[in-house]
């Protein structure tokens, strides 16, 4: 099975900061990676798929990059509504594992 | 409007069974793969199982393999998860998810396994 790790697991940032989250896969997954945002008490929301394709309606301050085993999610200028937990998910092969999550908190 | 409505959760004793259902509407159900994802209280997301549009490809997490069975009825626009031999660690909110990647999520149904 493919394992995903995320770093950092927690980060504290201010409004306007540039934030980068890394997701690493235990083996190559091409570009079969998605990123989700989850706020407390809510279902996750798809942000990015195919590693770098922005889901319709998602603000352009979110971007994704990478392929193979290393991927990044970048928020170019953090907004108050972006404080949440972010998960990556590999979609290369079953089981479609998630990363452990990165919680973005207010500094 | 896409809607995914899960049902069937509840309190169940360890070792017993439960069947979850997901009623889908607002899209052509048999055009999409479907998945179950769960989240234990205060924990991260765990992919549980997935099924292709025609049930030809099915996958399970190692943690549920041999105990859970996913199925779908395209005529009824419904997704199911039969959960047998339930354990305390299966306690979670279970989400029904459309597509790969998961574009639409239901609000979840809570399964609590406890004596």
């Amino acid at each position: 099975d493919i394992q995903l790790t995320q770093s950092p697991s927690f980060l504290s940032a201010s409004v306007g900061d540039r934030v980068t989250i890394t997701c690493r896969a235990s083996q190559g997954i091409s570009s079969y990676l998605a990123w989700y945002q989850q706020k407390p008490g809510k279902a996750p929301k798809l942000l990015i798929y195919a590693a770098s394709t922005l889901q319709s309606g998602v603000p352009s301050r979110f971007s994704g990059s990478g392929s193979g085993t290393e991927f990044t999610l970048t928020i170019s200028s953090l907004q108050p509504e972006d404080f949440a937990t972010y998960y990556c998910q590999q979609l290369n092969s079953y089981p479609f594992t998630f990363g452990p999550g990165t919680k973005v908190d207010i500094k | 409007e896409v809607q995914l409505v899960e049902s069937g959760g509840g309190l169940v004793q360890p070792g017993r069974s439960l069947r979850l259902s997901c009623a889908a509407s607002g899209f052509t159900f048999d055009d999409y793969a479907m998945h179950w994802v769960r989240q234990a209280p205060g924990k991260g997301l765990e992919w549980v199982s997935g099924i292709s549009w025609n049930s030809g490809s099915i996958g399970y997490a190692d943690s549920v393999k041999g105990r859970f069975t996913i199925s779908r009825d395209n005529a009824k626009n419904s997704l199911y998860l039969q959960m047998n031999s339930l354990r305390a660690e299966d306690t979670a909110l279970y989400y029904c998810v459309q597509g790969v990647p998961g574009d639409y999520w239901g609000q979840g149904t809570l399964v609590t396994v406890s004596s």
Side-chain angles (χ1 to χ4, degrees):
Chain A
D1 295 357
I2 298 170
Q3 311 301 320
L4 297 180
T5 58
Q6 285 182 238
S7 60
S9 54
F10 176 86
L11 74 88
S12 186
S14 301
V15 172
D17 283 354
R18 181 182 181 88
V19 166
T20 299
I21 299 168
T22 298
C23 176
R24 289 186 175 88
S26 59
Q27 61 190 80
I29 58 170
S30 185
S31 295
Y32 295 104
L33 189 99
W35 289 96
Y36 300 87
Q37 176 194 67
Q38 188 180 32
K39 297 181 180 179
K42 300 293 187 182
K45 173 187 174 183
L46 177 65
L47 298 175
I48 287 169
Y49 62 95
S52 60
T53 302
L54 200 65
Q55 173 69 349
S56 176
V58 174
S60 59
R61 62 182 179 273
F62 290 92
S63 64
S65 65
S67 67
T69 61
E70 187 155 334
F71 303 85
T72 59
L73 171 70
T74 299
I75 309 172
S76 60
S77 178
L78 200 65
Q79 298 302 300
E81 60 267 31
D82 301 336
F83 292 97
T85 301
Y86 294 84
Y87 296 92
C88 56
Q89 183 191 24
Q90 68 84 13
L91 300 161
N92 181 74
S93 60
Y94 282 147
F96 289 164
T97 42
F98 285 92
T102 295
K103 185 174 181 180
V104 178
D105 209 347
I106 302 172
K107 183 182 284 185
Chain B
E1 179 195 3
V2 172
Q3 284 200 322
L4 298 169
V5 180
E6 303 93 339
S7 61
L11 175 63
V12 62
Q13 293 179 328
R16 304 298 291 265
S17 298
L18 212 54
R19 189 194 197 207
L20 304 185
S21 299
C22 171
S25 61
F27 64 101
T28 304
F29 184 69
D30 54 12
D31 275 352
Y32 290 87
M34 299 292 295
H35 300 263
W36 290 99
V37 173
R38 70 185 180 184
Q39 189 167 34
K43 302 297 184 182
L45 302 173
E46 181 184 14
W47 180 86
V48 174
S49 183
I51 186 168
S52 62
W53 68 275
N54 64 352
S55 304
S57 176
I58 287 174
Y60 297 98
D62 290 347
S63 57
V64 307
K65 200 173 294 183
R67 300 188 298 122
F68 290 11
T69 302
I70 192 172
S71 62
R72 64 190 295 162
D73 185 335
N74 288 344
K76 294 183 178 179
N77 290 346
S78 293
L79 176 71
Y80 306 102
L81 187 67
Q82 177 67 42
M83 304 187 296
N84 299 332
S85 304
L86 283 161
R87 305 167 179 168
E89 54 265 35
D90 296 318
T91 294
L93 186 64
Y94 284 73
Y95 291 104
C96 170
V97 183
Q98 180 219 52
V100 179
D103 197 358
Y104 289 95
W105 296 58
Q107 286 307 300
T109 186
L110 182 63
V111 172
T112 303
V113 184
S114 174
S115 54

